[in-house]
Amino acid sequence: MKTNLEYVERRGTSCKKWDNQTAMFGTDGLMGLWVADMDFRAAEPIIEALHKAVDFGVFGYVYPWDAYYKAVMDWERDRHGYHIEKDWLCFAPGVVPGFNWLMMANSEPGDSVLVLTPSYYPMLEAPVKNGRKLVTSDLVVVDGTLRVDFADFEKKIAENRVKVFLLCSPHNPSGRVWEEDELRRMMDICRKYGVYVVSDEIHQDIVFGGRKHIPTATVGDYDDMLATLIAASKTFNLAGLQNASVIIPDAAGRARYEALTAGIRVLYGNTFGYVAAETAYKTGVPWLEEVLRVIGENEKIVRKTLTEGVPGVFIPELQGTYLLWLDFSRCLRPEEMPDFFETKCGLAMDYGNWFGGSPCCVRMNLATRRENIEKAAAAIVREYRKLGRA
């Protein structure tokens, strides 16, 4: 089916996903299916708004304006049923700096920080790089779905006197969209042990199968122990403009965060990030709906091709994000993975051990043109058949 999205060839543009592969893979020239951004041109209203800002010709200091705040608040209310106040909104240049700073503002060096594994690797790095103790709780497969092991979750919190829980919702890399009772159960355990929760909801707008993202803040009265991170960057492919919202309803929690950011003098973002986010939230729904359709079709291609051609591969249902988790533990040995995917298939994908998960898993970015996905899936099947195990 023809798409109105415009695929952009990004190789040769200092694109991390396509041009900066040597650091992670030891070589360049692989098909870039790893870093979590899209290969699609941004929505035209966003580009037009940025052109207008450039044409103004003055690039001095600004602070966020009322229309920007209103766009963020309207989006959360209308799209996700989360009613927030302007005063709750703080700035971060991205969700990753945001959860690092929130962790630092709500813990001390040496304190324990819990992360569910597998997990987006900057989330695993945050405690370690900031003098905290990383504590992990592994997700478990139940009836083909990755779920929280609540007994282990509570045990790890209690035994390690965890101070902060970094939650990813929807979950990256598994693609889980947490259910209301799961979120409430995690929050209640954290309440019991005095754990501050940082909920990274950057993938909130990318959900499938009739599911609905549930903001963690809406499942109960947890305002005094919770901060939520959102951004237009994953939804509308704007990561390079470095703008995220940190939602902190509790005044004391806000004061802790703002004291830290004031100390490092990160108070506001750049003009273009605000312009792009405001415009995206106001006008971006048609573009987003097309993106969701394309990602959904790409997921079906991968699932059909691999389940037919690679017996034993486990592909959890993609409930959210545009990142597909592929488990080859019944097909390939850990030591075979890099040679198989890079040398034989010519693919750059994130490996499971980078996420604190199985080295026999990979994460595939589906936010690219159909032809890339077809070639990648076909290459995996072709090279697997050569192993004589199919």
Side-chain angles (χ1 to χ4, degrees):
M1 182 182 294
K2 181 177 174 55
T3 173
N4 293 321
L5 288 179
E6 182 181 341
Y7 171 80
V8 178
E9 176 55 61
R10 301 175 68 196
R11 200 183 293 279
T13 64
S14 291
C15 170
K16 183 175 181 181
K17 180 163 65 174
W18 289 93
D19 297 325
N20 190 33
Q21 298 174 353
T22 301
M24 295 298 279
F25 302 99
T27 186
D28 284 324
L30 304 174
M31 183 183 291
L33 300 174
W34 59 306
V35 177
D37 64 10
M38 304 183 192
D39 293 330
F40 305 128
R41 179 178 167 90
E44 283 305 314
I46 298 173
I47 296 171
E48 291 168 5
L50 290 170
H51 275 300
K52 183 177 179 181
V54 170
D55 289 342
F56 180 64
V58 177
F59 309 112
Y61 296 115
V62 299
Y63 57 89
W65 45 90
D66 287 344
Y68 163 79
Y69 283 118
K70 185 176 186 303
V72 175
M73 292 187 292
D74 287 352
W75 182 267
E76 285 302 296
R77 182 196 64 227
D78 298 342
R79 197 85 179 175
H80 302 293
Y82 184 18
H83 294 256
I84 61 179
E85 303 293 335
K86 177 182 174 182
D87 289 347
W88 300 358
L89 289 168
C90 302
F91 170 77
V95 160
V96 173
F99 64 65
N100 274 268
W101 296 341
L102 284 162
M103 178 195 69
M104 294 166 67
N106 291 281
S107 66
E108 299 293 335
D111 285 344
S112 295
V113 176
L114 180 71
V115 179
L116 297 173
T117 45
S119 178
Y120 174 49
Y121 36 92
M123 199 167 266
L124 294 175
E125 295 168 353
V128 177
K129 292 187 174 181
N130 289 286
R132 274 69 174 169
K133 177 186 175 184
L134 172 65
V135 177
T136 61
S137 179
D138 292 341
L139 298 176
V140 293
V141 179
V142 179
D143 297 328
T145 300
L146 281 147
R147 294 190 178 276
V148 178
D149 181 341
F150 284 102
D152 183 72
F153 180 81
E154 183 167 2
K155 181 172 180 284
K156 294 290 180 61
I157 288 175
E159 289 182 347
N160 294 279
R161 298 182 179 180
V162 166
K163 297 297 183 184
V164 175
F165 169 39
L166 300 179
L167 169 64
C168 191
S169 178
H171 186 256
N172 172 10
S174 76
R176 270 303 312 279
V177 172
W178 304 115
E179 297 164 6
E180 184 172 350
D181 64 323
E182 292 176 299
L183 291 167
R184 187 178 295 113
R185 193 169 176 187
M186 285 188 275
M187 294 301 297
D188 285 343
I189 292 171
C190 288
R191 167 77 76 192
K192 178 179 177 181
Y193 293 95
V195 178
Y196 194 86
V197 180
V198 178
S199 188
D200 170 1
E201 303 187 13
I202 195 171
H203 292 278
Q204 65 177 352
D205 301 307
I206 305 170
V207 294
F208 302 98
R211 284 177 177 77
K212 181 175 177 57
H213 166 74
I214 301 171
T216 306
T218 65
V219 302
D221 184 10
Y222 304 109
D223 283 355
D224 63 326
M225 54 175 286
L226 173 68
T228 302
L229 291 155
I230 63 169
S233 52
K234 287 291 183 285
T235 307
F236 297 103
N237 204 30
L238 303 173
L241 296 177
Q242 298 191 309
N243 177 284
S245 294
V246 185
I247 306 170
I248 312 176
D250 179 61
R254 260 193 329 275
R256 291 192 299 272
Y257 180 81
E258 291 175 343
L260 188 146
T261 56
I264 56 178
R265 298 299 297 171
V266 179
L267 304 178
Y268 300 116
N270 77 70
T271 306
F272 302 112
Y274 291 124
V275 168
E278 178 192 342
T279 308
Y281 287 137
K282 287 180 175 178
T283 67
V285 170
W287 185 92
L288 173 59
E289 290 176 345
E290 181 71 356
V291 165
L292 293 174
R293 184 185 68 78
V294 169
I295 293 167
E297 290 182 357
N298 285 347
E299 188 270 345
K300 290 176 184 175
I301 290 168
V302 175
R303 187 174 297 277
K304 183 175 189 297
T305 304
L306 296 192
T307 52
E308 292 177 355
V310 184
V313 66
F314 171 55
I315 310 175
E317 178 188 8
L318 183 64
Q319 299 179 357
T321 83
Y322 50 77
L323 306 162
L324 190 61
W325 191 240
L326 306 172
D327 186 345
F328 290 89
S329 57
R330 289 179 287 182
C331 315
L332 297 167
R333 295 185 294 274
E335 64 271 17
E336 294 179 304
M337 295 289 286
D339 180 66
F340 180 83
F341 284 101
E342 297 163 37
T343 307
K344 291 183 169 65
C345 297
L347 306 177
M349 294 195 287
D350 300 279
Y351 293 112
N353 55 302
W354 298 355
F355 300 89
S358 166
C360 292
C361 293
V362 290
R363 188 190 75 170
M364 175 186 280
N365 185 340
L366 299 172
T368 188
R369 62 179 174 180
R370 180 187 181 117
E371 290 82 358
N372 287 344
I373 295 299
E374 290 174 335
K375 288 177 183 177
I380 293 170
V381 171
R382 180 189 70 238
E383 296 303 324
Y384 187 72
R385 285 175 175 165
K386 289 180 181 178
L387 298 176
R389 301 174 194 171

